[in-house]
């Protein structure tokens, strides 16, 4: 309880609040008159709000919401979806989805978490006990998400460290490295095998052969990618250090991780819009293709991008809201966060398509031919373009620092959502040992991520699911079964718990 006095009048069913840490019950007398009623004082044990903790500053919550919702998807997913679904026409469907679904559901999750003081695993069960399985489903999703998201962060850290270790050049600039093949082509050195019918760029070979070390198939794990392993360790150490005392006590760290990416993004914007061909790229980005609105694609992608970008349904928002004071104005914070998220996506789109326009001009090609989605945009397109900018290592380092921070701030919010959800559900057992439990969770997620830094490109494929193929390689049936199993592993909790509750709860099944 907070330090308040709860005076409950049993007769009038009214409650008033004062500033003491005890409860007074006003009990009616035997003759049921107010005159002879008596007050019974009860001092409750210290619990929930004092033990659970709360945000030290109102802005901490706002910046934590921004950290969670603004992430890698704003950089590599939104720009591609915007081009794919009609340019400016997609912005219309995206805006409608934001107003109708995004902002109301974002506010709803935060408000319910704040009202109940509980995380994503328990709040649905408190509202509707038979649907507590939704909480288990959310925690399963966020658990799997935490594992693979840090793998993407490790890729980004690898690129950042390589940028500094290969100064004054960049490791993906040439074809004379041990990981290159004889079919390698460098746009900087302009060297290739003239008679080769199949060429791969130095940027592609660096990503696939040096960073990922892709094996011949998922059934062949191959050796450990020790560079990625070290980056994975480093990533999890950063995440643990931020949340070890609870995200609500991370203070100014959240401010830095939320704000600094915008400094980098604005620097990149200033350079991108001055590149040759930037205007053509921007026209591709914003020119509406209104006929696309007659197809379901832009509407579905607009809605899914809203849910993905706002982190709706994964239990993170109720967890962040649960650390607010009861009367905190979370509506204002929710509205600010949603608007900032959308503006960030538009800003990233301007930067991205300015750069794509530049690449198209360099290659004398159409912008549509150089657009890539998913990891391809971040780890192939951007590294390619920085090679042609004066001071390439500086721009590469700037870009990957931004990506690391965008990834880290979303990841530690998601890990905190998982920990908060479990601690709230088993508060008596876990809350006294929260520090040790945090170490255990981070360790388990790290260990489960190790197979993903071997020579298996499985995680990269899962990011953009398309018939389980990578390049020309088609995954076997058993790999597809694993994928479906991962999907079912979260959804199955909802019906299972409903059946369990129906048969074990009080009353008959029909009741």
């Amino acid at each position: 309880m907070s330090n308040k006095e709860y005076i409950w009048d049993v007769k009038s069913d009214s409650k008033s609040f004062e500033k003491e840490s005890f409860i007074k019950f006003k009990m009616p007398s035997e003759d049921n008159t107010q005159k002879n009623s008596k007050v019974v004082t009860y001092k409750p044990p210290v619990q929930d709000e004092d033990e659970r903790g709360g945000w030290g500053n109102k802005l901490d919550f706002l910046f934590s919401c921004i950290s969670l919702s603004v992430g890698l998807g704003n950089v590599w997913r939104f720009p591609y979806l915007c081009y794919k679904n009609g340019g400016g026409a997609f912005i219309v469907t995206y805006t409608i989805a934001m107003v109708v679904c995004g902002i109301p559901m974002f506010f709803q999750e935060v408000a319910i978490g704040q009202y109940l003081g509980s995380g994503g695993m328990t709040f649905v069960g408190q509202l509707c006990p038979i649907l507590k399985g939704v909480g288990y489903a959310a925690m399963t999703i966020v658990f799997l998400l935490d594992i693979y998201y840090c793998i993407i962060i490790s890729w980004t850290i690898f690129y950042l460290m390589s940028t500094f270790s290969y100064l004054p050049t960049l490791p993906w600039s040439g074809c004379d490295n041990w990981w290159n093949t004889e079919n390698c082509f460098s746009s900087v050195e302009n060297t290739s095998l003239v008679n080769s019918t199949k060429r791969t760029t130095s940027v592609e070979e660096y990503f696939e052969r040096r960073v990922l070390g892709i094996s011949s198939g998922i059934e062949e794990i191959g050796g450990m990618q020790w560079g990625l392993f070290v980056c994975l360790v480093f990533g999890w150490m950063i995440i643990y250090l931020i949340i070890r005392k609870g995200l609500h006590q991370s203070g100014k760290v959240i401010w830095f991780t939320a704000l600094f990416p915008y400094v980098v993004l604005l620097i990149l914007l200033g350079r991108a819009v001055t590149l040759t061909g930037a205007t053509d790229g921007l026209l591709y980005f914003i020119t509406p293709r209104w006929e696309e609105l007659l197809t379901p694609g832009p509407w579905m992608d607009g809605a899914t991008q809203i849910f993905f970008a706002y982190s709706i349904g994964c239990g993170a928002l109720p967890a962040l809201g649960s650390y607010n004071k009861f009367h905190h104005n979370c509506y204002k914070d929710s509205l600010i966060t949603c608007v900032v998220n959308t503006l960030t996506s538009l800003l990233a789109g301007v930067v991205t398509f300015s750069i794509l326009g530049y690449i198209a001009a360099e290659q004398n090609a159409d912008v549509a031919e150089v657009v890539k989605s998913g990891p391809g945009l971040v780890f192939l397109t951007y590294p390619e373009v920085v090679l042609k900018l004066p001071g390439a290592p500086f721009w590469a380092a700037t870009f990957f620092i931004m990506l690391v921070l965008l990834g880290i701030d979303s990841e530690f919010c998601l890990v905190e959502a998982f920990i908060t959800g479990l601690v709230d559900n088993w508060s008596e057992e876990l809350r006294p040992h929260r520090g040790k439990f945090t170490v255990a969770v981070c360790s388990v997620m790290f260990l489960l991520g190790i197979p993903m830094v071997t020579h298996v490109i499985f995680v990269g494929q899962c990011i953009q699911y398309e018939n389980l193929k990578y390049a020309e390689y088609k995954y076997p049936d058993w790999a597809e079964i694993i994928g479906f199993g991962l999907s079912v592993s979260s959804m199955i909790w909802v019906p299972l718990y409903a059946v369990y509750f129906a048969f074990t709860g009080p009353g008959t099944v029909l009741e």
Side-chain angles (χ1 to χ4, degrees):
M1 292 287 186
S2 60
N3 292 326
K4 298 174 181 176
E5 176 186 300
Y6 298 83
I7 303 179
W8 187 271
D9 190 331
V10 177
K11 183 177 180 181
S12 62
D13 195 32
S14 61
K15 183 165 62 173
S16 60
F17 301 91
E18 297 178 17
K19 293 185 177 179
E20 299 296 334
S21 57
F22 55 84
I23 300 175
K24 288 183 177 180
F25 293 94
K26 183 178 288 187
M27 304 298 294
S29 61
E30 292 182 1
D31 57 2
N32 211 26
T33 61
Q34 183 74 15
K35 180 179 179 180
N36 296 321
S37 64
K38 59 181 179 179
V39 174
V40 178
T41 302
Y42 168 65
K43 187 171 184 177
V46 179
Q47 59 176 343
D48 276 341
E49 191 174 317
D50 291 334
E51 290 184 0
R52 215 169 169 277
W55 298 108
N57 186 296
K58 291 182 178 180
L59 290 178
D60 289 351
F61 169 69
L62 174 61
F63 285 123
S64 69
C65 287
I66 294 174
S67 294
L68 171 66
S69 63
V70 178
L72 297 176
N74 297 81
V75 177
W76 75 25
R77 197 168 189 266
F78 178 85
Y80 172 74
L81 290 178
C82 196
Y83 171 76
K84 172 190 171 186
N85 293 289
F90 174 75
I91 297 178
V92 174
T93 65
Y94 179 85
T95 303
I96 292 174
M98 176 184 72
V99 174
V100 176
C101 298
I103 295 177
M105 295 191 72
F106 189 102
F107 169 63
Q108 174 182 275
E109 290 201 14
V110 170
I112 293 176
Q114 178 175 313
Y115 178 78
L116 297 176
S118 60
M121 187 171 184
T122 54
F123 85 104
V124 176
Q126 289 179 259
L127 298 174
C128 182
I130 197 172
L131 291 181
K132 188 176 180 180
V134 173
Y136 291 97
M139 290 301 100
T140 303
I141 291 173
V142 79
F143 178 77
L144 298 173
L145 181 62
D146 287 339
I147 295 171
Y148 100 79
Y149 205 84
C150 202
I151 303 299
I152 310 299
I153 294 173
S154 70
W155 295 356
T156 309
I157 294 174
F158 189 94
Y159 268 86
L160 180 60
M161 295 176 66
S162 298
T163 298
F164 290 108
S165 61
Y166 278 81
L167 288 174
T169 62
L170 291 171
W172 56 85
S173 62
C175 292
D176 299 327
N177 305 288
W178 61 264
W179 59 81
N180 294 125
T181 66
E182 59 182 11
N183 293 326
C184 176
F185 169 77
S186 171
S187 59
V188 175
E189 298 176 354
N190 197 29
T191 58
S192 65
L193 288 178
V194 178
N195 296 326
S196 176
T197 57
K198 184 178 181 181
R199 299 184 305 177
T200 54
T201 68
S202 57
V203 176
E204 290 176 304
E205 291 200 351
Y206 179 77
F207 179 57
E208 295 185 355
R209 297 177 60 84
R210 176 66 183 97
V211 180
L212 302 182
I214 299 176
S215 62
S216 60
I218 189 175
E219 65 276 0
E220 180 186 338
I221 293 180
M224 179 69 69
Q225 283 287 83
W226 291 109
L228 282 182
F229 177 82
V230 171
C231 292
L232 185 64
V233 172
F234 189 54
W236 275 112
M237 287 179 62
I238 295 174
I239 293 164
Y240 169 73
L241 290 174
I242 294 174
I243 66 170
R244 61 193 176 94
K245 292 183 179 180
L247 184 60
H248 56 284
Q249 297 185 22
S250 299
K252 302 304 182 289
V253 175
I254 300 175
W255 293 40
F256 175 77
T257 58
L259 294 177
F260 188 74
Y262 290 99
V263 176
V264 178
L265 203 56
L266 290 174
I267 293 174
L268 292 173
L269 175 68
R271 184 66 183 102
V273 296
T274 60
L275 293 171
T276 304
T279 303
D280 295 332
L282 289 175
L283 286 175
Y284 268 89
F285 177 49
I286 64 174
T287 300
R289 299 192 296 276
W290 299 114
E291 65 276 7
E292 297 283 346
L293 295 181
L294 300 178
T295 64
W299 299 96
M300 291 190 295
D301 282 344
T304 55
Q305 176 63 14
I306 284 292
F307 279 82
F308 178 81
Y310 288 6
S311 299
I312 293 173
C314 67
L317 295 175
L320 297 181
S322 68
Y323 293 115
N324 281 331
K325 295 184 183 300
F326 186 81
H327 295 289
H328 177 76
N329 187 359
C330 61
Y331 175 75
K332 179 182 69 175
D333 289 341
S334 299
L335 188 61
I336 292 173
T337 302
C338 293
V339 172
V340 167
N341 184 293
T342 298
L343 292 178
T344 304
S345 296
L346 293 173
L347 179 60
V350 171
V351 174
T352 299
F353 276 84
S354 297
I355 293 174
L356 292 175
Y358 169 73
I359 294 177
E362 285 285 310
Q363 298 179 0
N364 195 26
D366 191 82
V367 176
E369 298 175 16
V370 296
V371 176
K372 294 183 175 69
S373 65
L377 182 62
V378 174
F379 298 108
L380 296 178
T381 302
Y382 282 111
E384 175 74 31
V385 76
V386 297
L387 292 176
K388 301 175 183 178
L389 297 176
F394 169 79
W395 295 110
T398 300
F399 175 71
F400 285 111
I401 286 173
M402 179 190 71
L403 284 189
V404 168
L405 289 175
L406 285 175
I408 288 289
D409 62 7
S410 294
E411 173 75 347
F412 66 63
C413 288
L414 290 170
V415 175
E416 174 65 23
F418 180 78
I419 293 173
T420 297
L422 268 63
V423 169
D424 284 344
N425 197 58
W426 292 286
S427 56
E428 293 184 4
E429 296 83 1
L430 295 179
R431 186 161 293 154
H433 309 286
R434 183 189 172 99
K436 297 176 182 177
F437 181 63
T438 301
V439 173
V441 168
C442 291
S443 299
V444 169
M445 290 180 176
F446 162 70
L447 292 174
L448 292 175
I450 290 178
M452 303 179 195
V453 292
T454 60
H455 295 176
V456 179
I457 188 56
F458 182 61
V459 175
Q461 177 60 32
C462 285
I463 296 171
Q464 193 74 22
Y465 179 84
E466 288 183 359
N467 299 323
L468 284 176
K469 290 179 65 178
Y470 184 84
E472 300 301 321
Y473 175 76
K474 183 177 180 180
Y475 282 87
D477 292 339
W478 63 266
E480 196 164 330
I481 293 173
I482 291 178
F484 283 115
L486 290 173
S487 299
V488 173
S489 66
S490 64
M491 296 182 287
I492 195 66
W493 289 105
V494 180
L496 280 183
Y497 190 87
V499 173
Y500 166 79
F501 182 85
F503 284 97
T504 62
T508 65
V509 174
L510 289 179
E511 289 174 340

